[in-house]
């Protein structure tokens, strides 16, 4: 049992990532609604909390890219 599971998970990850763009974003603390949406609709790769907000690396689809473009750094 479990033979090939690692390969299957890697393939699922690869397919989910295709068509996504990586963005570096900075969301100020007042953008909590947008941060929540980002976590629900995108793939957050890394996060660093700062005094003024949150800096993230995220993989986003085209729709989300346009939505979060204003937070791009």
């Amino acid at each position: 049992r479990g033979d090939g599971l690692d390969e299957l998970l890697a393939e699922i990850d690869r397919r989910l990532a295709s068509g996504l763009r990586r963005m570096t974003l900075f969301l100020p603390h007042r953008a909590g609604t947008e941060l929540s949406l980002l976590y629900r609709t995108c793939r957050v790769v890394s996060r660093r909390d700062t005094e003024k907000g949150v800096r993230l690396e995220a993989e986003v689809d085209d729709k989300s890219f346009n939505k979060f473009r204003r937070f791009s750094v």
Side-chain angles (χ1 to χ4, degrees):
R1 295 257 138 142
D3 290 340
L5 185 58
D6 290 337
E7 292 84 5
L8 174 63
L9 292 174
E11 179 64 18
I12 290 170
D13 193 46
R14 186 188 67 74
R15 288 187 186 195
L16 288 174
S18 67
L20 299 179
R21 300 188 217 185
R22 187 171 284 219
M23 294 182 78
T24 301
L25 304 163
F26 181 82
L27 281 76
H29 291 302
R30 71 181 187 292
T33 301
E34 291 87 350
L35 181 61
S36 177
L37 179 64
L38 182 75
Y39 269 97
R40 286 194 318 271
T41 60
C42 303
R43 183 177 179 191
V44 175
V45 177
S46 68
R47 174 183 174 146
R48 191 180 82 217
D49 294 282
T50 71
E51 194 173 297
K52 296 184 179 184
V54 182
R55 184 179 176 96
L56 303 121
E57 291 283 330
E59 293 178 344
V60 302
D61 60 17
D62 288 338
K63 183 178 177 182
S64 295
F65 178 83
N66 291 325
K67 204 172 279 186
F68 293 107
R69 182 185 315 211
R70 65 188 168 133
F71 298 108
S72 183
V73 292

Coordinates of all heavy atoms in Angstrom, one line a residue:
R1 N 0.8 -1.2 0.0 CA 0.0 0.0 0.0 C 0.9 1.3 0.0 O 1.9 1.3 0.7 CB -0.9 0.0 1.2 CG -1.9 -1.1 1.3 CD -3.3 -0.5 0.9 NE -3.9 -1.5 0.0 CZ -5.1 -1.8 0.0 NH1 -5.9 -1.2 0.8 NH2 -5.6 -2.6 -0.8
G2 N 0.4 2.3 -0.7 CA 1.1 3.5 -0.8 C 2.2 3.6 -1.9 O 2.9 4.6 -2.0
D3 N 2.3 2.5 -2.6 CA 3.3 2.5 -3.7 C 2.9 3.6 -4.7 O 1.8 3.6 -5.2 CB 3.4 1.1 -4.4 CG 4.0 0.0 -3.6 OD1 4.7 0.4 -2.6 OD2 3.8 -1.1 -3.9
G4 N 3.9 4.4 -5.1 CA 3.7 5.5 -6.1 C 3.0 6.7 -5.5 O 2.7 7.6 -6.3
L5 N 2.7 6.7 -4.2 CA 2.0 7.9 -3.7 C 2.8 9.2 -3.8 O 2.3 10.2 -4.2 CB 1.7 7.6 -2.2 CG 0.9 8.7 -1.5 CD1 -0.5 8.9 -2.2 CD2 0.6 8.3 0.0
D6 N 4.1 9.1 -3.6 CA 4.9 10.3 -3.7 C 4.9 10.8 -5.1 O 4.8 12.0 -5.4 CB 6.4 10.0 -3.3 CG 6.5 9.8 -1.8 OD1 5.7 10.3 -1.1 OD2 7.5 9.1 -1.4
E7 N 5.0 9.9 -6.1 CA 4.9 10.3 -7.5 C 3.6 11.0 -7.8 O 3.5 12.0 -8.6 CB 5.2 9.2 -8.4 CG 6.6 8.7 -8.4 CD 6.9 7.7 -7.2 OE1 5.9 7.3 -6.5 OE2 8.0 7.3 -7.0
L8 N 2.5 10.4 -7.3 CA 1.1 10.9 -7.6 C 1.0 12.3 -7.0 O 0.5 13.2 -7.7 CB 0.1 10.0 -6.9 CG -1.4 10.5 -7.0 CD1 -1.8 10.6 -8.4 CD2 -2.3 9.5 -6.2
L9 N 1.5 12.5 -5.8 CA 1.4 13.8 -5.1 C 2.2 14.8 -5.9 O 1.8 16.0 -6.1 CB 1.8 13.7 -3.7 CG 0.9 12.9 -2.8 CD1 1.5 12.8 -1.4 CD2 -0.5 13.6 -2.7
A10 N 3.4 14.4 -6.4 CA 4.2 15.4 -7.2 C 3.5 15.7 -8.5 O 3.6 16.9 -8.9 CB 5.6 14.7 -7.4
E11 N 2.9 14.8 -9.1 CA 2.2 15.1 -10.4 C 1.0 16.0 -10.1 O 0.7 16.9 -10.9 CB 1.7 13.8 -11.0 CG 0.9 14.0 -12.3 CD 1.7 14.6 -13.4 OE1 3.0 14.6 -13.4 OE2 1.1 15.1 -14.4
I12 N 0.2 15.8 -9.0 CA -0.9 16.6 -8.7 C -0.4 18.0 -8.4 O -1.0 19.0 -8.9 CB -1.7 16.1 -7.5 CG1 -2.4 14.8 -7.8 CG2 -2.6 17.1 -6.9 CD1 -3.0 14.1 -6.6
D13 N 0.7 18.2 -7.7 CA 1.3 19.5 -7.4 C 1.7 20.2 -8.7 O 1.4 21.4 -8.9 CB 2.4 19.3 -6.5 CG 2.9 20.6 -5.9 OD1 2.0 21.4 -5.4 OD2 4.1 20.9 -5.8
R14 N 2.3 19.4 -9.6 CA 2.8 20.0 -10.9 C 1.6 20.5 -11.7 O 1.6 21.6 -12.2 CB 3.6 19.0 -11.7 CG 4.2 19.5 -12.9 CD 4.8 18.4 -13.8 NE 3.8 17.5 -14.4 CZ 3.0 17.8 -15.4 NH1 3.0 19.0 -15.9 NH2 2.2 16.9 -15.8
R15 N 0.5 19.7 -11.8 CA -0.6 20.1 -12.5 C -1.3 21.3 -11.9 O -1.8 22.2 -12.7 CB -1.6 19.0 -12.7 CG -1.1 17.9 -13.7 CD -2.1 16.9 -13.9 NE -1.5 15.8 -14.7 CZ -2.2 14.9 -15.4 NH1 -3.5 14.9 -15.3 NH2 -1.6 14.0 -16.1
L16 N -1.4 21.4 -10.6 CA -2.1 22.5 -10.0 C -1.3 23.8 -10.2 O -1.8 24.9 -10.3 CB -2.2 22.3 -8.5 CG -3.3 21.2 -8.1 CD1 -3.2 21.0 -6.6 CD2 -4.7 21.7 -8.5
A17 N 0.1 23.7 -10.3 CA 0.9 24.8 -10.4 C 1.0 25.3 -11.9 O 1.3 26.5 -12.1 CB 2.3 24.5 -9.9
S18 N 0.6 24.5 -12.8 CA 0.7 25.0 -14.2 C -0.3 26.1 -14.5 O -1.4 26.0 -14.0 CB 0.5 23.8 -15.2 OG -0.8 23.3 -15.1
G19 N 0.1 27.1 -15.2 CA -0.8 28.2 -15.4 C -0.8 29.2 -14.3 O -1.6 30.2 -14.4
L20 N 0.0 29.0 -13.3 CA 0.0 30.0 -12.2 C 1.3 30.9 -12.4 O 2.3 30.5 -12.9 CB 0.1 29.3 -10.9 CG -1.1 28.4 -10.5 CD1 -0.9 27.8 -9.1 CD2 -2.4 29.2 -10.5
R21 N 1.2 32.1 -11.9 CA 2.3 33.0 -11.9 C 2.7 33.3 -10.4 O 1.8 33.3 -9.5 CB 1.9 34.4 -12.4 CG 1.4 34.4 -13.8 CD 1.3 35.8 -14.3 NE 0.1 36.0 -15.1 CZ -0.2 37.1 -15.7 NH1 0.5 38.2 -15.5 NH2 -1.2 37.2 -16.5
R22 N 4.0 33.5 -10.2 CA 4.4 33.8 -8.9 C 4.5 35.3 -8.7 O 5.0 36.0 -9.6 CB 5.8 33.2 -8.6 CG 6.2 33.4 -7.2 CD 7.5 32.6 -6.8 NE 7.1 31.2 -6.7 CZ 7.7 30.4 -5.8 NH1 8.6 30.9 -4.9 NH2 7.3 29.1 -5.7
M23 N 4.0 35.8 -7.6 CA 4.0 37.2 -7.3 C 4.6 37.4 -5.9 O 4.4 36.6 -5.0 CB 2.6 37.7 -7.2 CG 1.8 37.7 -8.5 SD 0.1 38.5 -8.3 CE 0.6 40.2 -8.3
T24 N 5.3 38.5 -5.8 CA 5.7 39.0 -4.5 C 4.8 40.1 -4.1 O 4.6 41.1 -4.9 CB 7.2 39.5 -4.5 OG1 8.0 38.4 -5.0 CG2 7.6 40.0 -3.2
L25 N 4.2 40.0 -3.0 CA 3.1 40.9 -2.6 C 3.4 41.5 -1.2 O 4.1 40.9 -0.4 CB 1.8 40.2 -2.5 CG 1.3 39.5 -3.7 CD1 0.2 38.5 -3.4 CD2 0.8 40.5 -4.8
F26 N 3.0 42.8 -1.0 CA 3.0 43.3 0.3 C 1.6 43.9 0.6 O 1.1 44.7 -0.1 CB 4.0 44.5 0.5 CG 4.0 45.0 1.9 CD1 4.7 44.4 2.9 CD2 3.3 46.2 2.2 CE1 4.7 44.9 4.2 CE2 3.2 46.6 3.5 CZ 4.0 46.0 4.5
L27 N 1.0 43.3 1.7 CA -0.4 43.7 2.1 C -0.3 44.4 3.4 O 0.2 43.8 4.4 CB -1.3 42.5 2.1 CG -1.9 42.0 0.8 CD1 -0.9 41.2 0.0 CD2 -3.1 41.2 1.1
P28 N -0.7 45.7 3.5 CA -0.7 46.3 4.8 C -1.7 45.7 5.7 O -2.6 45.0 5.3 CB -1.1 47.8 4.5 CG -1.8 47.7 3.2 CD -1.2 46.5 2.4
H29 N -1.6 45.9 7.0 CA -2.5 45.2 8.0 C -3.9 45.6 7.7 O -4.8 44.7 8.0 CB -2.1 45.6 9.4 CG -0.8 45.1 9.8 ND1 -0.5 43.7 9.9 CD2 0.4 45.7 10.2 CE1 0.7 43.5 10.3 NE2 1.3 44.7 10.5
R30 N -4.2 46.7 7.2 CA -5.6 47.1 6.9 C -6.2 46.3 5.8 O -7.5 46.4 5.6 CB -5.7 48.6 6.6 CG -5.1 49.0 5.3 CD -5.3 50.5 5.1 NE -4.9 51.0 3.8 CZ -3.7 51.0 3.3 NH1 -2.7 50.5 4.0 NH2 -3.4 51.4 2.1
A31 N -5.4 45.5 5.1 CA -6.0 44.7 3.9 C -6.3 43.3 4.4 O -6.0 42.3 3.6 CB -4.9 44.8 2.8
G32 N -6.8 43.1 5.5 CA -7.1 41.8 6.1 C -8.1 41.0 5.2 O -8.0 39.8 5.0
T33 N -9.1 41.7 4.6 CA -10.0 41.0 3.7 C -9.3 40.4 2.5 O -9.6 39.3 2.1 CB -11.2 42.0 3.3 OG1 -11.8 42.5 4.5 CG2 -12.1 41.3 2.4
E34 N -8.4 41.2 1.9 CA -7.7 40.8 0.8 C -6.7 39.6 1.1 O -6.5 38.7 0.3 CB -6.9 41.9 0.1 CG -7.8 43.0 -0.6 CD -8.3 44.0 0.4 OE1 -8.1 43.9 1.6 OE2 -8.9 45.0 -0.1
L35 N -6.1 39.7 2.3 CA -5.2 38.6 2.7 C -6.0 37.3 2.9 O -5.5 36.3 2.4 CB -4.5 39.0 4.1 CG -3.6 38.0 4.6 CD1 -2.4 37.8 3.7 CD2 -3.1 38.5 6.0
S36 N -7.2 37.4 3.4 CA -8.0 36.2 3.6 C -8.4 35.6 2.2 O -8.3 34.4 2.0 CB -9.3 36.6 4.4 OG -10.1 35.5 4.5
L37 N -8.7 36.5 1.3 CA -9.1 36.1 0.0 C -7.9 35.4 -0.7 O -8.0 34.4 -1.4 CB -9.5 37.3 -0.9 CG -9.9 37.0 -2.3 CD1 -11.1 36.0 -2.4 CD2 -10.2 38.2 -3.1
L38 N -6.7 36.0 -0.5 CA -5.5 35.4 -1.1 C -5.3 34.0 -0.6 O -5.0 33.1 -1.4 CB -4.3 36.3 -0.7 CG -2.9 35.9 -1.3 CD1 -2.8 36.2 -2.8 CD2 -1.8 36.5 -0.6
Y39 N -5.4 33.8 0.7 CA -5.2 32.4 1.2 C -6.3 31.4 0.7 O -6.0 30.3 0.5 CB -5.2 32.5 2.8 CG -3.9 32.6 3.3 CD1 -3.4 33.9 3.7 CD2 -3.0 31.5 3.5 CE1 -2.1 34.0 4.3 CE2 -1.7 31.7 4.0 CZ -1.3 33.0 4.4 OH -0.1 33.1 5.0
R40 N -7.5 31.9 0.5 CA -8.6 31.1 0.0 C -8.4 30.7 -1.5 O -8.9 29.6 -1.9 CB -9.9 31.7 0.2 CG -10.4 31.7 1.7 CD -11.9 32.0 1.8 NE -12.3 33.1 1.0 CZ -12.3 34.4 1.3 NH1 -11.9 34.8 2.5 NH2 -12.8 35.3 0.5
T41 N -7.9 31.6 -2.3 CA -7.9 31.4 -3.7 C -6.6 31.2 -4.4 O -6.5 30.9 -5.6 CB -8.6 32.7 -4.4 OG1 -7.8 33.8 -4.1 CG2 -10.0 32.9 -3.9
C42 N -5.5 31.4 -3.7 CA -4.1 31.2 -4.3 C -3.3 30.3 -3.4 O -3.7 29.8 -2.4 CB -3.5 32.6 -4.3 SG -4.4 33.8 -5.2
R43 N -2.1 30.1 -3.9 CA -1.2 29.2 -3.2 C -0.1 30.1 -2.6 O 0.8 30.6 -3.3 CB -0.6 28.2 -4.2 CG 0.4 27.2 -3.6 CD 0.8 26.3 -4.7 NE 1.7 25.3 -4.1 CZ 2.4 24.5 -4.8 NH1 2.3 24.4 -6.1 NH2 3.2 23.7 -4.2
V44 N -0.1 30.2 -1.3 CA 0.9 31.0 -0.6 C 2.1 30.2 -0.4 O 2.1 29.1 0.2 CB 0.4 31.6 0.7 CG1 1.5 32.3 1.5 CG2 -0.9 32.5 0.5
V45 N 3.3 30.7 -0.9 CA 4.5 29.9 -0.9 C 5.3 30.3 0.4 O 5.9 29.5 1.0 CB 5.3 30.1 -2.2 CG1 6.7 29.4 -2.1 CG2 4.5 29.7 -3.4
S46 N 5.3 31.6 0.7 CA 6.0 32.1 1.9 C 5.3 33.3 2.4 O 4.6 34.0 1.7 CB 7.5 32.3 1.6 OG 7.6 33.5 0.7
R47 N 5.6 33.5 3.7 CA 5.0 34.7 4.4 C 6.0 35.2 5.4 O 6.6 34.5 6.1 CB 3.7 34.3 5.1 CG 3.1 35.4 5.9 CD 1.9 34.9 6.6 NE 1.4 35.9 7.5 CZ 0.1 36.2 7.8 NH1 -0.8 35.4 7.3 NH2 -0.2 37.1 8.7
R48 N 6.1 36.6 5.4 CA 6.9 37.2 6.4 C 6.1 38.4 7.0 O 5.7 39.3 6.3 CB 8.2 37.7 5.9 CG 9.2 38.1 7.0 CD 10.5 38.6 6.5 NE 10.3 40.0 6.1 CZ 10.9 40.6 5.0 NH1 11.6 39.9 4.2 NH2 10.6 41.8 4.7
D49 N 5.8 38.3 8.3 CA 5.0 39.4 8.9 C 6.0 40.5 9.3 O 7.1 40.2 9.8 CB 4.3 38.9 10.2 CG 3.2 37.9 9.8 OD1 2.1 38.4 9.4 OD2 3.4 36.7 9.9
T50 N 5.6 41.7 9.0 CA 6.4 42.9 9.4 C 5.6 43.8 10.2 O 4.4 43.6 10.4 CB 7.0 43.7 8.1 OG1 5.9 44.3 7.5 CG2 7.6 42.7 7.2
E51 N 6.2 44.9 10.7 CA 5.5 45.9 11.5 C 4.4 46.6 10.8 O 3.4 46.9 11.3 CB 6.6 46.9 12.0 CG 6.1 47.8 13.1 CD 7.2 48.6 13.7 OE1 8.2 48.1 14.2 OE2 7.1 49.9 13.5
K52 N 4.6 46.7 9.5 CA 3.6 47.5 8.6 C 2.7 46.6 7.8 O 1.7 47.1 7.2 CB 4.4 48.4 7.7 CG 5.2 49.5 8.4 CD 5.8 50.4 7.5 CE 6.6 51.5 8.3 NZ 7.1 52.5 7.4
G53 N 2.9 45.3 7.8 CA 2.0 44.4 7.0 C 2.6 43.1 6.8 O 3.5 42.6 7.6
V54 N 2.2 42.4 5.7 CA 2.6 41.1 5.4 C 3.2 41.0 4.0 O 2.6 41.5 3.1 CB 1.4 40.1 5.5 CG1 1.9 38.7 5.2 CG2 0.7 40.2 6.8
R55 N 4.4 40.4 3.9 CA 5.1 40.2 2.6 C 4.9 38.7 2.3 O 5.3 37.9 3.1 CB 6.6 40.6 2.7 CG 7.3 40.5 1.4 CD 8.7 40.9 1.5 NE 9.5 40.8 0.3 CZ 9.7 41.7 -0.6 NH1 9.2 42.9 -0.4 NH2 10.3 41.4 -1.7
L56 N 4.5 38.5 1.1 CA 4.2 37.1 0.7 C 4.7 36.8 -0.7 O 4.8 37.7 -1.6 CB 2.7 36.9 0.6 CG 1.9 37.2 1.9 CD1 0.9 38.2 1.6 CD2 1.2 35.9 2.3
E57 N 5.0 35.6 -0.9 CA 5.3 35.0 -2.2 C 4.1 34.1 -2.5 O 3.7 33.3 -1.6 CB 6.5 34.2 -2.3 CG 7.8 34.9 -2.2 CD 8.2 35.7 -3.4 OE1 7.9 35.2 -4.5 OE2 8.8 36.7 -3.3
A58 N 3.4 34.3 -3.6 CA 2.2 33.5 -3.9 C 2.1 33.1 -5.3 O 2.6 33.9 -6.2 CB 0.9 34.3 -3.5
E59 N 1.5 32.0 -5.6 CA 1.3 31.6 -7.0 C -0.2 31.8 -7.2 O -1.1 31.3 -6.5 CB 1.6 30.1 -7.1 CG 3.1 29.9 -7.0 CD 3.5 28.4 -7.1 OE1 2.7 27.5 -7.0 OE2 4.7 28.2 -7.3
V60 N -0.5 32.6 -8.3 CA -1.8 33.0 -8.6 C -2.2 32.7 -10.0 O -1.4 32.7 -10.9 CB -2.0 34.6 -8.3 CG1 -1.6 34.9 -6.8 CG2 -1.1 35.4 -9.2
D61 N -3.5 32.6 -10.2 CA -4.0 32.4 -11.6 C -4.2 33.8 -12.2 O -4.0 34.9 -11.5 CB -5.3 31.6 -11.6 CG -6.4 32.2 -10.8 OD1 -6.4 33.4 -10.5 OD2 -7.4 31.5 -10.5
D62 N -4.7 33.9 -13.4 CA -4.8 35.2 -14.1 C -5.8 36.1 -13.4 O -5.6 37.3 -13.2 CB -5.2 35.0 -15.6 CG -4.1 34.5 -16.4 OD1 -2.9 34.7 -16.0 OD2 -4.4 33.9 -17.5
K63 N -6.9 35.6 -13.0 CA -8.0 36.4 -12.3 C -7.4 37.0 -11.0 O -7.6 38.1 -10.7 CB -9.2 35.5 -12.0 CG -10.3 36.2 -11.4 CD -11.5 35.2 -11.2 CE -12.6 35.9 -10.5 NZ -13.8 35.0 -10.3
S64 N -6.7 36.1 -10.2 CA -6.2 36.6 -9.0 C -5.0 37.6 -9.2 O -4.8 38.6 -8.5 CB -5.7 35.4 -8.1 OG -6.8 34.7 -7.7
F65 N -4.2 37.4 -10.3 CA -3.1 38.3 -10.6 C -3.7 39.7 -10.8 O -3.1 40.7 -10.2 CB -2.5 37.8 -11.9 CG -1.3 38.8 -12.3 CD1 -0.1 38.6 -11.8 CD2 -1.6 39.7 -13.3 CE1 0.9 39.5 -12.1 CE2 -0.5 40.6 -13.7 CZ 0.7 40.5 -13.1
N66 N -4.8 39.8 -11.5 CA -5.4 41.2 -11.7 C -5.9 41.7 -10.4 O -5.9 42.9 -10.2 CB -6.5 41.1 -12.8 CG -5.9 40.8 -14.2 OD1 -4.8 41.3 -14.5 ND2 -6.6 40.0 -15.0
K67 N -6.5 40.9 -9.6 CA -7.1 41.3 -8.3 C -6.0 41.8 -7.3 O -6.2 42.8 -6.6 CB -7.8 40.1 -7.7 CG -8.9 40.5 -6.8 CD -9.7 39.3 -6.4 CE -10.7 39.0 -7.5 NZ -11.6 37.9 -7.1
F68 N -4.8 41.2 -7.3 CA -3.8 41.5 -6.3 C -2.6 42.3 -6.9 O -1.7 42.6 -6.2 CB -3.2 40.2 -5.7 CG -4.3 39.5 -4.9 CD1 -4.8 38.3 -5.3 CD2 -4.7 40.0 -3.7 CE1 -5.8 37.7 -4.6 CE2 -5.6 39.4 -2.9 CZ -6.2 38.2 -3.3
R69 N -2.7 42.7 -8.2 CA -1.7 43.5 -8.8 C -1.3 44.7 -8.1 O -0.1 45.1 -8.0 CB -2.1 43.8 -10.2 CG -1.0 44.5 -11.0 CD -1.5 45.0 -12.3 NE -2.3 43.9 -13.0 CZ -2.3 43.8 -14.3 NH1 -1.7 44.6 -15.1 NH2 -3.0 42.8 -14.8
R70 N -2.2 45.4 -7.5 CA -2.0 46.6 -6.7 C -1.1 46.4 -5.5 O -0.5 47.4 -5.0 CB -3.2 47.3 -6.3 CG -4.1 46.6 -5.4 CD -5.4 47.3 -5.2 NE -6.3 46.4 -4.5 CZ -7.1 46.7 -3.4 NH1 -7.0 48.0 -3.1 NH2 -7.8 45.9 -2.9
F71 N -1.0 45.2 -5.0 CA -0.1 44.9 -3.9 C 1.2 44.3 -4.3 O 2.1 44.0 -3.4 CB -0.8 43.9 -3.0 CG -2.1 44.3 -2.4 CD1 -3.3 43.8 -2.8 CD2 -2.1 45.3 -1.4 CE1 -4.5 44.3 -2.3 CE2 -3.3 45.8 -0.8 CZ -4.5 45.3 -1.3
S72 N 1.5 44.2 -5.6 CA 2.7 43.7 -6.1 C 3.9 44.6 -5.8 O 3.8 45.8 -5.8 CB 2.6 43.5 -7.6 OG 3.8 42.9 -8.1
V73 N 5.0 43.9 -5.4 CA 6.3 44.7 -5.1 C 7.4 44.2 -6.0 O 7.3 43.2 -6.6 CB 6.7 44.6 -3.7 CG1 5.7 45.3 -2.8 CG2 6.9 43.2 -3.2

